[in-house]
Amino acid sequence: AVFDVKPRAGIIPANDFYLVLLKFRPTAARKYEYGLKCVINHEPDMAQTVTLIGEGAIPTVKVLQVEELRRGLSPFAPTPPLYMKPTCTGLVSSRAITLHNPVRIPIVFKVEVPARLANVFSVSPTMGLLRGNQDCALTVSFAPRAYVDYKLKLNIKVRALAGDPPDLRDARMFGEAVPAEFVHETSVNIIAPGSGAVLSFDPPLMDFGTLLVNTTEDIQFGLVNASDCDVQYEIHHLVRPEKREVIRARSASMMANSSIAVASGPSTPEPNSIEPMPSSGRDRLLLADKPAGVIGARSRTAVKLTFQPLRAAVFEVALIVRVTALDREGNRITLTAEESALLRVGDKARLAETFAVTKAATDGQGENLDDDEHSVSSEDIEAMGLRAEVRGKASFPTVVFQDVRLLGGGLGGSTRQLWASLGLEHLNHELAQPLTPAEVKLNLESSPDLTKLKKYDIKFVPAPLGTAKAVVSVQLCNPGFLQTSFEIHYPNEREIELPQWADEGEPTMDQLKENRIIDELKCFDVYPRAGVLSSGESVTINFTYTYENRDYDGCHELKVLLKVAQGKQYWLRLKGVTLAPSDCCLYRCVPPEDSAHRIMPVAVGTSVDQAPVQTTELLNVGEADLQYEVDVSSLKAGRDDNFGFQSMVLENPMGTISGRSTALLRWRFLPLEAKEYFYSCKIKYSGGAVGQAVTREDTIRVYCFGYDPRTENPHTMTMPGIKTGLVPPPYQLLRMPAQVAALSHEKVALGRIPQRAVVQETVVLRNTCDQAVEFQWEASHPLLASGVVRIEPLNGRIAPQSFESVKVVVEGGCAPCIVEQQIAVLVKLAAVTQPKRNNRSRLESRLEASKSRNAASEASHRSIVSRPTKSRDANLASTVLPGGRQPHLPVPAMSYTPGQPPAAGAGDAGATTSVGFGNSQTAGATTAYDDSASMRSGTSAGGGRSRGGGGTAPNLPPSFLHLSLYFEIVEEDAFISLFSESVNAAAVQRPRQYIPAHAAVVEGGQVLGVVPHVEKAHAEAELSGSAESPGAHVLGGVFSGLFADLLSSSEVLDSLHALPATPQVPVYAEMRRKDSIVLRLERAMGESGLDASVPLPPGELKAALVKLGLKSRTAGVKDAMRTLESGKGGGAAATVGLREWMKGCPAEMTLAIEEALDERDQVAAVAVQEGRQRERDEADKDETDVAATKLQGRLRMRQAKKDVEAQRFKLSDEGKRQHEMANKLQNLQRGKLARVRAKELQAKKAAVRRQMVMADPDFQGTASEIMESTISNLLAEVLNAEFDVRDSPHMVVQGRVD
């Protein structure tokens, strides 16, 4: 009802009154009138009538300004907008709009501004109360941020003063009305044009270029006032984080491979803050002569900006100007609180926008600091308004050694070895650092103390007397922004020549030795010794050492001063050693600052039997053989500090190294923690001429690191750039004058490879001269000899200015290992064939030429019938002949089996012994780098003479190139579980070959370290320190490896993970001692009212068993129950004794009776437990719980009534119609979901089919062959200059005109 009265009946005492509450609830916006009749004392004649009049209204609101604009317009015309005056960026304007309540009821209004324009517009007030026919003025403030037209849509919502009253059933209950919902909404469109910035910088982008540190530069810019009023300005500046040219390491774990501690990224600056621009101060980066002032309307002023950097860095400064409008008298215009807040928000927004626009430039700091790819343009800065950008660079003159080469590239002459032995990583790091205050002071002194300078060693590889001089060439580059000049001085040189009468004093013994080495022995030479380098330019500096005398026991040393103008100064100590012809000398390519090897990091969590093998190289630079022995006692002594575990094991602590060759020490490292490990071992070696053998000692230091594979991956870390000089260049930068060929890249990083996988890479060997070149790879290298690495072709001939594509294939058919080695290739000019006089007739010459062409054609072309293909290899690999033999095609006499070293005489470096990499049977594998024999003789590396009689060798000597290989081979399970990588990404050959794992050092039942399998059992017994028989250790190692493989398999791990984390705890009834089944059965029958002590009829016994819960699940139980039912053995009236019957029961029946009794006892125990719990709950109840229970009951009753009403509505016509429509909507949604799922299932099936096709060996072989041929053809076309790869592709469109 619209009108309601409460109470509707009552008693009024004599001479008293009674209050009656009238309620009016309109249902529409109209006027209501109703006559309320009141009957007194049940007398209709005495009824009194009261007329109730009420008016219903809907809350609404009107904007008077909009209503005035709508007068005279059509009712269907759009709402006209309101306009604000144009406003400059940095200023604020306001206008008022009036809200009117056209109804008689009070309303509450709320004004909403879109979030995207909350920093541009503000409204005050945003909420208020309007009584009937009352007005309210709103103030809209506008502070533009850009030169655009803003469109604001103000949403004004209104609601009633209050909503429904609370549901009060008792006078003691209290509550408040529910807030009413918004029932009406109107919108106001406001158009506010934003003008340009009130102040603008001219120019908005100022670049000071590159300055020397501690120098100044001035730039003048203008401030332009584009508004119609005077403004007061104040310039603030924000210095962004400096872009320092720091050197970044590969990762925290890769620090183990670095001899220096380098920063991991740009230095972290102090928190950004806006500061006023200073006008003076030597310690400030920027100065302005007019940081604040007043600019008249439509005028400009000039400001001088001074840039004075105090350190080397790239600086970016944002200039932000804050303005205040002035009136005609020069006073500040008073602003409201909302306008001031809006301006403050605009300032903060402009600051945030400054950071957002220039974030790409801030984040894009890398190797090339002057790259403008991510820079902010002047148009972007000018569009932001009220700000400008200032850039500048400050630097010291810097140089970096980018590449190093040894003439001929012989023993110890690879770039990787020279980089380590010369310590260029540490030297480049020092050269790249800014000058310290002490170094600046030293450069300013007229007579500096050069003894304070740091010293760095330049070591030449020792060689026997009479060896050709060593020429080490380094490329010195200027990576900075300033022009750099350098000088190299001998210690006896002076910048100022002293007069003859000046007395220098007596020279010391060291000075006499240096003067003799310079003037008399002339062991060392450096050229050029001065130069000027512009930004990015480089120069080649040659350091030479001659092996022509053995004065001072063959040890020569000379200090030269490397001086960079206004930059760094260092002493370079040139060290050379000349050996006697019968001497042996052990040499290691390690950094001179700590003489330590750095092996690759190993993942924490690697199993003991999968500890990877790593190698370090020992060089015998003498002519005589030497025997070495490494004392590994220090490795065992480190167990105490490593939880009793030996993390480092050396497999071959002793061996023999032939003259002018190398040996590889095989280390196995297994970390327990992600930290750095350091080991130091004494090495003793002896050798020399017969009767003159000498013994020397040295120390081998090894740094290694353990890393967490969940957060780090050394194979995916970004390598430092070439300009940093932290690592050797991946390709050759320095061209040697006597070099006849070059590799496209000298470093091949293949990453992590699972066992049995095959990975390949292509390297191009290019002939850089105008004559034919012959090449021969180092076939005796352990990686090639063992078949882990395969290079195709191993040797060959390259035409002038041509190239040869060399395929490097890595087959993971070995135990886990980490390879960081280099393989040498010998290149030399081919012999020139001298023409011979032909004494044969013309017919004989033609016949001989035809025979030669046929032979060459037969040798160069093989039929598809006998030539191996990818599909044929896959088919042969999947076929096994009787006896375990593998089928193969007929092998020509001059071919070789992949993975095996070529036979002697096939063009390789002679016969080689197959050495198994990662196998303990390899005792000190040596690699011959005998460059003297090959250089002196004009023969090829294979020992065979050049074809063509009467050939003469060119003058250029042969040289060695080196290809560095970096990869890691891990076990397949570890590849997936430990490193979380997909083994499907690698091609694994079939059938899978067996690879033996490595055993563990066990002592007293505790794992102490890792060693490989050894052929002799006593070697393992000696390592483990046990006195048992060797056979027991062999069996123990084999079975421990089998059990380790079994427990680490994925199936066992999945089963263990499937077990519950918390075992199921049995109830107390299962832990008690139980009686026999007969007693329990008699007790149970007694509880059911049946006396089991006397014989029972079979039918009653069966009924009792069924009542106890016996389940007939098996055939034996069913037969026993049928026997009781039929009463076999004594007739239907016969009785059965329980105990006698139990003795003849089958086992299945006894088990079923026990299961029924257990289930009955369990049900009884649970019932007792629940009863006790109910008793405890009832005992704990109080009055509060009782009241809560009653309230819950009432709430349930109320909910039940609502459910009944909902059910009745559902059965009504309207409910049925809504239910039918809901079913239709649900069916439509289900159909849509079904179609989506069908598409997903179809895509999934297509993906599975694609995976099946990609897993097909024939498809893989075809795809690999296509890619290989495509890449080879592309390389041939690029290298033959058939097209330029830098040109964008062209699209040819053919069409026809109708």
Side-chain angles (χ1 to χ4, degrees), residues 465-466 516 520-523 545-556 577-579:
L465 183 67
R516 185 167 182 266
E520 183 179 345
L521 301 181
K522 298 181 180 180
C523 298
Y545 174 69
T546 58
Y547 305 92
E548 295 181 355
N549 60 81
R550 282 188 41 81
D551 292 356
Y552 307 107
D553 293 333
C555 299
H556 308 109
V577 178
T578 302
L579 305 175

Side-chain angles (χ1 to χ4, degrees), residues 950-1195:
T952 59
N955 297 327
L956 291 178
S959 60
F960 286 93
L961 305 178
H962 300 270
L963 178 65
S964 298
L965 298 179
Y966 299 84
F967 59 87
E968 178 183 5
I969 296 178
V970 298
E971 202 268 336
E972 291 184 37
D973 289 342
F975 188 79
I976 301 174
S977 59
L978 184 60
F979 301 104
S980 302
E981 298 191 22
S982 175
V983 75
N984 296 326
V988 180
Q989 293 183 344
R990 296 294 189 271
R992 297 173 56 185
Q993 58 177 339
Y994 171 72
I995 301 175
H998 298 276
V1001 179
V1002 181
E1003 199 171 275
Q1006 184 181 9
V1007 179
L1008 300 178
V1010 291
V1011 294
H1013 289 301
V1014 291
E1015 185 177 3
K1016 297 182 180 180
H1018 66 80
E1020 188 173 4
E1022 180 182 355
L1023 284 173
S1024 61
S1026 176
E1028 298 181 8
S1029 62
H1033 285 283
V1034 172
L1035 292 177
V1038 172
F1039 280 104
S1040 63
L1042 291 176
F1043 278 110
D1045 293 341
L1046 177 63
L1047 294 177
S1048 61
S1049 62
S1050 58
E1051 293 82 0
V1052 175
L1053 292 178
D1054 294 341
S1055 301
L1056 293 177
H1057 291 160
L1059 294 176
T1062 303
Q1064 193 173 11
V1065 180
V1067 298
Y1068 66 93
E1070 297 178 355
M1071 302 175 62
R1072 295 182 303 173
R1073 183 175 181 180
K1074 298 180 181 180
D1075 296 332
S1076 65
I1077 298 178
V1078 178
L1079 293 178
R1080 295 174 61 191
L1081 186 58
E1082 291 178 350
R1083 190 183 306 116
M1085 288 184 175
E1087 293 177 357
S1088 61
L1090 188 63
D1091 188 6
S1093 61
V1094 298
L1096 300 173
E1100 293 184 5
L1101 180 59
K1102 178 184 177 183
L1105 293 176
V1106 173
K1107 187 176 181 181
L1108 290 177
L1110 180 66
K1111 303 291 190 334
S1112 301
R1113 294 191 179 95
T1114 63
V1117 177
K1118 292 179 181 178
D1119 293 341
M1121 296 296 287
R1122 292 193 192 100
T1123 303
L1124 290 176
E1125 183 179 1
S1126 60
K1128 292 181 180 180
T1135 58
V1136 179
L1138 182 61
R1139 292 181 178 270
E1140 290 77 7
W1141 181 78
M1142 286 294 298
K1143 291 180 181 179
C1145 278
E1148 296 180 7
M1149 189 67 179
T1150 305
L1151 185 61
I1153 294 173
E1154 185 179 5
E1155 182 179 353
L1157 292 174
D1158 290 343
E1159 186 175 355
R1160 181 174 179 273
D1161 294 343
Q1162 177 69 17
V1163 172
V1166 172
V1168 171
Q1169 183 179 2
E1170 292 177 354
R1172 292 174 180 174
Q1173 183 65 33
R1174 283 195 298 271
E1175 292 176 359
R1176 287 194 295 268
D1177 293 341
E1178 292 177 359
D1180 294 339
K1181 283 185 178 180
D1182 54 5
E1183 297 179 357
T1184 305
D1185 296 333
V1186 175
T1189 304
K1190 292 181 179 180
L1191 290 177
Q1192 290 178 358
R1194 293 184 178 179
L1195 291 176

Side-chain angles (χ1 to χ4, degrees), residues 538-586:
S538 60
V539 66
T540 300
I541 301 179
N542 300 299
F543 297 91
T544 65
Y545 174 69
T546 58
Y547 305 92
E548 295 181 355
N549 60 81
R550 282 188 41 81
D551 292 356
Y552 307 107
D553 293 333
C555 299
H556 308 109
E557 180 179 336
L558 178 64
K559 294 190 303 180
V560 295
L561 179 63
L562 173 61
K563 183 178 181 180
V564 180
Q566 297 179 338
K568 299 280 187 177
Q569 299 185 53
Y570 296 113
W571 285 110
L572 301 180
R573 288 185 298 197
L574 308 181
K575 292 185 177 181
V577 178
T578 302
L579 305 175
S582 60
D583 281 353
C584 65
C585 180
L586 189 65

Side-chain angles (χ1 to χ4, degrees), residues 741 765-767 771-775 796-804:
L765 181 61
R766 188 175 186 84
N767 182 1
Q771 300 183 29
V773 171
E774 295 178 351
F775 68 92
R797 184 186 182 100
I798 307 177
Q801 296 297 334
S802 183
F803 68 93
E804 178 73 28

